[in-house]
Structures are given as structure tokens and as C-alpha cells.
Amino acid sequence: MKKKERFIGTCSDYTHEGLGVVKKDHDVIFVKNLLVGEEAEIEIIKVLKNYCVGRVYKMIKPSDEREEPICPVYKLCGGCSLMHMSYQAQQAFKTKRVKDTMERIGHVFFPVNDCLMDEEIYHYRNKVQVPVGEKDHRIVTGFYKPHTNDIIDNDFCFIQNEFSNEVTKYVKTLLEKYHIKPYDKVLKQGHIKHILTRYGVHTNEGMLALITYTKKVPHLHDLVNDVHNKFPSITTIIQNINPRHDNVILGDEVNVLYGPGYIHDTLLGNDYTISLKSFYQINPRQVEVLYTKAIELANLNKDDIVLDAYCGIGTIGLTLAKDVKKVYGIEVVEQAIEDAKENAKRNNIKNAEFICGDAGEVALEYKKQGIHFDVVIVDPPRKGCSELFLKQLIELSPERLVYISCNVATQARDMQLLTQYYEVKEIQPVDMFPQTTHVETVCLLSKLSEVKNHISVEVDMDEMDLTAAESKATYQEIQEWVQEKYRFHVTHLNIAQVKRKHGIIERENYNKPKSEDSRQPGCPEEKEQAIEEALKHFQMII
């Protein structure tokens, strides 16, 4: 297809970013703000090697699932991407996204539960970091237009909590009042980079952090006094100095301008100290749904010893501590571990131990100490578990593994390895971020027994002509069938191994080792089962 070409097409699927997928002949076109089933006149705006990008030129047949976005800058801002989709359709999208990713990346073919959705779909974020810029000689605050450094000026975001909206808007007026200049990425000058707010929904305690390019900021203390007088609920104000020129938001130096430097909030009955750099889940309502589900899946008892890897400030481990014998928490961020220890003291929890370090290295030390974990709960960052940690996790060999993830792609990647040693028992998506494509997933895995289960197939040799059976499907036909149904590749060797297992005699020396002591890789269990299904499909086995 060519740029500016128009055609009429129907959306058949979504990308993981929520773009509509339209197919025309051999071309695939991704279209923003187009729903499955909708028919539209589409204009090509970009032609790439493997796909095209289009826009809706004219809507012909809208979907019943289409909703009018309530945000006036929705089409420009990059903060949300699904506001044009009903919440029921968002549930279907997120459930399918998890299923497709597990199958495509992790080769995990297991039923995925319907995504657990939020009861309130707006104003759920308890942490906001808003970039500050200048446009036409006036200060702008908002979020970046996708794939650009252009800030879409907006004083009210529908997914941020109202406290953050009010505080950010007021600080913006103070920057104008005191002539405090935003940081300019091109000129590398100015003062303010971001306005960050955190809010404890159960305690009504607020935090304001000003991320600055320079340590000295004119009228900074005047600004602090004005904010404190305007918002009594703000219990701490912080300056974070970040002299870097990249996209990293927080710097290393922290200057507490007012209050203790942290706020508190409660989660499932425990009280938590939250500092500027503490990891604390964004959606306070849904995090309780997520953690409750994770603890339910863990099926804990009073004698269990639990490892909470990538523990952050200890929220998961401290929540389940009352149900188990001992909890060990690992986190690489030193401040988070200090917060976790303080949170254990605040809640009088004495059976939880927290250590700062790489999850893989600390897990290895625990193994050397002879500590056996009945349950391991992991909640890694977006990049997933480290290779070292996964290796040590397999060595630790817990009976049950609960894997929580904010990035199903890296979770699926890790599952591809873990499912060689563990059996998937449940996959539960949770919507932590309504109106966006993000989805949190919690998976339960149970350790496989030493003697793996095999499919037993009884064959009556008198009734089955083995030569005829072998000829029913070629190797290529079996490969194509598996690829189509399971979306992964099997080799001729894999097929030969499974055929021999079921008594389908190969031609002499075909795919056989050249010597008796030669070692060939065994066929993975997942591929073996897929090939067996193919053999049944082609009536080569019963």
C-alpha cells in the first residue's frame, strides 16, 4: 500500500498496544482508536517493512463497545489509550492479551481467568509524576504526546487522584508567580523538571516532590510555604536533584524541605511508611484485590517458610506474615529495605526478615544456609526476573511459586523456563490501570513430581497397520499442524522421537544416533504433547 491511500476495512484484532488490526490482501494495517468489528474508511499515514499505520478517515459502522472519551486531550495525550473502549471491552482485551502473550512467548497453553476489573475506573492513581515545560513563554504541565518530547498541557487528568490534580495545578501557578523556569532539554538550563505527588488514600497524607535540575532554585522556600498553607494534608515536601540529561526522572540527591520525608498509608490492615523512591502499588483499591488473590493462590499454612523476592517495602510479605512461620524478603533498593524493616516494626511483625541485595545472589546464600522455602512469591520490575535468580529459584525448588508481574511479556519469557520444572495451576489478570493497555498478572505454579506424567496410548498391533499409519502425514504436515495450532516449531527429530515412543517404526537409520552411546536431546514435554495431538489428528495413534 502507499501513503495517503484510502480503503474501507474492518478491524479484526488488537495489537498489545491497543491499536486496531485491519488486513487488506497481504497487508496488515495498525489503526489507532479503532475497535474490533468496526468498519471504517482508513487512510494510510505510514508504510513500513512489515506493516502499515493508518488512521480513521471516516467511521462507517461503529461498535456498540465504543464510548466517547471524557478527557478533552485524550487523542493527543499518551497517558491513556483505551478510553474509547467500554470497560467490558477492556476486560476482554486484557484477558486476551495475557492469553496471547503466554502462548506466543512462553508457550504456555493454559486457560486464563477473566481479568479482575476495578469498581471505579477513574482517579485511581496514588502517585503522579508530571513533566514541566514551557510553550509560548508560559509554563505547561501534562503528559507527553506519544513518541515525542511535546508536553500536552492539561490541568486535570481523569486517572490521577484529585489531590494530585489540585496540587500540580497550584504548583504550576507558583512557578509562574515566582518566575521559576522549567528545565529546557535542548539548552540544558532551567530549574524544574517534574512535579511528583504521592497520596495515602486511607490516611489522607500527601507528599510533594519537586524534581529539579539545579540544587539552588529561586524562591523555593516561598513556594514551599505557599503549598503548605494551601494544602494541610501535605505532610512532607521534598526536593530531588537530578542533573542528568537523559529520561531518568529521579536523581540521587534528596533534600527534605518540610516534614519527615515520607508519608503513611494502610494496606490490608498494615500501616506502611512510603518514601520518595519506595515502590508502592499505584492503584490502592486493586492492589488489595491483587495481593488477596496472590495469597489465596499460595495456599499458606502456619508451618510455611516464604521467600518474598523483589519485596519492595515489604507489602506482600508483611501481609501474609501472620499466616506463616517465617518470611524472608529480598530487594536491591536499599531505601526500600529500610522502609520494609521499619514497616515490620510499625506493625509489630516479628517473623519477617529483610535483606538488601540482588535476588539471585541472596537466594544462593539462603540455599547455602540450608533454608528450604515452601513458597516463593516474586514481584519483579518490568524487566522480569534476573537469569541468576531464576537459576537459583529452580535450585531452591519450592513446592509452590506465585509469580506477580506488571509486564506479561517478560513474565511469559520467564515462564518458558519455569514450566520445565513447574506446572501452571492458575493465571489471573488484574486490571491495575483502567483506561490503559497495562495489565498485572498473578500466576500459580506447582512443582512437578519427579516422575512426570505421560500420556498412555494403547495400540492394538493386530488392528493397526504401522506402515499405513506412518504414511498418513508427512513430517512437514505435522510441523505445519503444530505451528498452526500451538504457534511453535517442532523439529523432525522431535517428531521421530515421539513416533518411536508410540511404536510407529521409522525407516532404518532415520534420525537414529550413529552409535549406541551417542546422546540426543530429549523432546520437551510441551512439544511431545503437541506432536501426540498431531498424530491423533492424522489418525496415526488413537
Side-chain angles (χ1 to χ4, degrees):
M1 304 196 74
K2 297 179 180 179
K3 191 174 181 180
K4 294 188 178 180
E5 181 180 348
R6 294 177 191 166
F7 71 98
I8 294 175
T10 301
C11 180
S12 60
D13 203 350
Y14 298 114
T15 69
H16 286 182
E17 292 75 35
L19 302 176
V21 177
V22 179
K23 296 181 180 180
K24 185 179 187 299
D25 299 327
H26 299 293
D27 292 312
V28 177
I29 303 96
F30 297 153
V31 185
K32 186 177 180 180
N33 295 340
L34 191 64
L35 301 181
V36 166
E38 289 187 328
E39 184 181 14
E41 185 176 359
I42 297 164
E43 182 178 63
I44 301 299
I45 59 176
K46 188 182 294 185
V47 178
L48 301 171
K49 182 178 180 181
N50 297 318
Y51 64 93
C52 299
V53 179
R55 71 177 183 92
V56 176
Y57 182 79
K58 180 183 178 181
M59 180 65 70
I60 297 174
K61 182 182 177 183
S63 168
D64 292 338
E65 300 292 351
R66 175 167 290 278
E67 295 201 352
E68 186 64 29
I70 63 175
C71 177
V73 298
Y74 171 68
K75 291 184 178 180
L76 298 174
C77 175
C80 299
S81 53
L82 298 183
M83 200 175 276
H84 63 292
M85 185 185 293
S86 74
Y87 202 42
Q88 182 177 356
Q90 290 184 35
Q91 181 185 39
F93 165 78
K94 296 188 179 191
T95 303
K96 185 175 185 297
R97 181 185 173 191
V98 172
K99 178 180 182 295
D100 290 348
T101 305
M102 284 292 177
E103 292 180 357
R104 180 174 57 85
I105 297 178
H107 307 312
V108 174
F109 299 87
F110 190 87
V112 175
N113 297 341
D114 288 341
C115 188
L116 298 176
M117 308 303 279
D118 199 347
E119 293 180 356
E120 300 179 33
I121 60 177
Y122 300 114
H123 303 301
Y124 58 83
R125 289 187 65 97
N126 60 12
K127 176 186 176 184
V128 188
Q129 42 203 28
V130 180
V132 183
E134 189 172 34
K135 186 176 183 179
D136 299 328
H137 305 291
R138 65 184 182 87
I139 292 177
V140 294
T141 57
F143 296 100
Y144 291 113
K145 185 178 180 179
H147 313 299
T148 74
N149 289 319
D150 298 333
I151 297 174
I152 304 301
D153 194 27
N154 183 29
D155 290 331
F156 189 87
C157 176
F158 282 90
I159 66 172
Q160 317 301 346
N161 64 78
E162 296 184 14
F163 163 84
S164 295
N165 281 325
E166 292 175 7
V167 171
T168 302
K169 183 178 180 180
Y170 184 66
V171 171
K172 178 181 176 181
T173 66
L174 295 180
L175 297 178
E176 295 274 13
K177 174 182 176 181
Y178 292 115
H179 305 288
I180 302 174
K181 301 290 282 185
Y183 168 69
D184 188 309
K185 289 185 176 182
V186 177
L187 300 176
K188 295 181 173 57
Q189 63 185 28
H191 301 292
I192 303 294
K193 287 187 164 186
H194 284 78
I195 300 168
L196 185 150
T197 53
R198 303 191 82 150
Y199 182 64
V201 296
H202 298 294
T203 60
N204 195 34
E205 292 185 16
M207 172 192 293
L208 168 65
L210 301 170
I211 291 87
T212 67
Y213 174 58
T214 57
K215 187 169 185 177
K216 291 185 177 181
V217 178
H219 298 285
L220 182 59
H221 290 286
D222 294 326
L223 184 151
V224 169
N225 288 333
D226 287 353
V227 169
H228 175 238
N229 292 331
K230 176 75 172 178
F231 298 98
S233 60
I234 293 182
T235 57
T236 196
I237 303 176
I238 297 168
Q239 178 191 14
N240 176 263
I241 300 98
N242 182 5
R244 299 168 60 135
H245 301 298
D246 52 24
N247 292 325
V248 175
I249 293 177
L250 294 180
D252 296 326
E253 187 175 355
V254 175
N255 182 19
V256 178
L257 304 174
Y258 169 77
Y262 54 80
I263 62 173
H264 293 101
D265 200 13
T266 59
L267 173 62
L268 292 172
N270 287 333
D271 184 272
Y272 293 96
T273 299
I274 306 166
S275 60
L276 175 63
K277 295 186 177 182
S278 295
F279 172 76
Y280 190 72
Q281 289 279 5
I282 295 298
N283 187 329
R285 292 186 297 269
Q286 285 296 88
V287 69
E288 294 197 343
V289 173
L290 176 70
Y291 286 179
T292 299
K293 183 63 180 180
I295 293 170
E296 171 195 319
L297 293 179
N299 192 25
L300 303 168
N301 64 67
K302 289 293 184 180
D303 294 322
D304 281 340
I305 298 177
V306 177
L307 175 62
D308 179 10
Y310 305 94
C311 68
I313 62 172
T315 47
I316 300 176
L318 295 177
T319 299
L320 60 82
K322 64 182 183 299
D323 300 318
V324 300
K325 182 177 181 180
K326 180 81 173 183
V327 176
Y328 294 85
I330 311 173
E331 171 61 55
V332 74
V333 180
E334 186 174 353
Q335 182 59 57
I337 285 296
E338 292 303 314
D339 289 344
K341 291 177 179 178
E342 177 61 29
N343 289 328
K345 291 179 182 178
R346 285 183 67 85
N347 295 284
N348 196 31
I349 296 173
K350 299 179 180 179
N351 63 332
E353 177 182 310
F354 296 96
I355 187 167
C356 183
D358 177 82
E361 295 174 357
V362 176
L364 178 60
E365 287 301 314
Y366 283 141
K367 180 173 176 58
K368 290 178 179 178
Q369 295 172 24
I371 298 174
H372 173 72
F373 295 101
D374 302 287
V375 179
V376 172
I377 296 178
V378 297
D379 188 5
R382 292 191 61 80
K383 63 182 180 180
C385 296
S386 70
E387 185 177 349
L388 175 61
F389 176 73
L390 288 175
K391 179 180 178 182
Q392 299 308 327
L393 177 60
I394 292 167
E395 290 292 322
L396 289 172
S397 190
E399 293 296 324
R400 300 180 299 286
L401 171 62
V402 179
Y403 191 143
I404 301 170
S405 176
C406 60
N407 184 354
V408 67
T410 54
Q411 183 184 38
R413 176 205 67 199
D414 295 345
M415 294 275 278
Q416 187 175 12
L417 172 63
L418 292 171
T419 49
Q420 297 179 40
Y421 306 89
Y422 285 83
E423 180 182 5
V424 178
K425 290 294 188 180
E426 190 161 346
I427 302 175
Q428 178 63 68
V430 179
D431 187 17
M432 300 287 289
F433 311 98
Q435 315 305 333
T436 78
T437 60
H438 300 295
V439 61
E440 201 98 359
T441 313
V442 54
C443 297
L444 172 64
L445 298 99
S446 179
K447 188 168 68 173
L448 289 168
S449 59
E450 292 185 3
V451 180
K452 295 184 179 181
N453 295 324
H454 293 276
I455 299 175
S456 297
V457 182
E458 294 183 2
V459 181
D460 188 338
M461 297 299 178
D462 293 332
E463 297 179 2
M464 187 171 188
D465 182 342
L466 297 181
T467 303
E470 185 186 5
S471 66
K472 284 183 180 290
T474 66
Y475 279 77
Q476 183 176 350
E477 288 172 332
I478 293 172
Q479 284 178 318
E480 290 175 350
W481 190 91
V482 171
Q483 181 71 41
E484 175 69 22
K485 185 174 179 64
Y486 293 97
R487 299 183 185 177
F488 58 70
H489 176 73
V490 294
T491 66
H492 283 203
L493 175 60
N494 295 150
I495 298 170
Q497 289 170 329
V498 177
K499 289 174 74 174
R500 282 200 299 270
K501 172 186 171 184
H502 290 284
I504 301 176
I505 309 296
E506 299 294 336
R507 290 183 295 276
E508 188 64 25
N509 295 326
Y510 185 77
N511 274 327
K512 289 186 178 180
K514 294 181 179 180
S515 63
E516 291 297 325
D517 59 352
S518 294
R519 293 187 178 183
Q520 291 179 314
C523 181
E525 184 177 3
E526 176 190 72
K527 293 187 176 183
E528 180 179 320
Q529 292 178 355
I531 294 168
E532 285 175 330
E533 289 301 313
L535 297 180
K536 291 179 182 178
H537 171 77
F538 291 112
Q539 299 182 354
M540 297 172 70
I541 62 174
I542 297 173

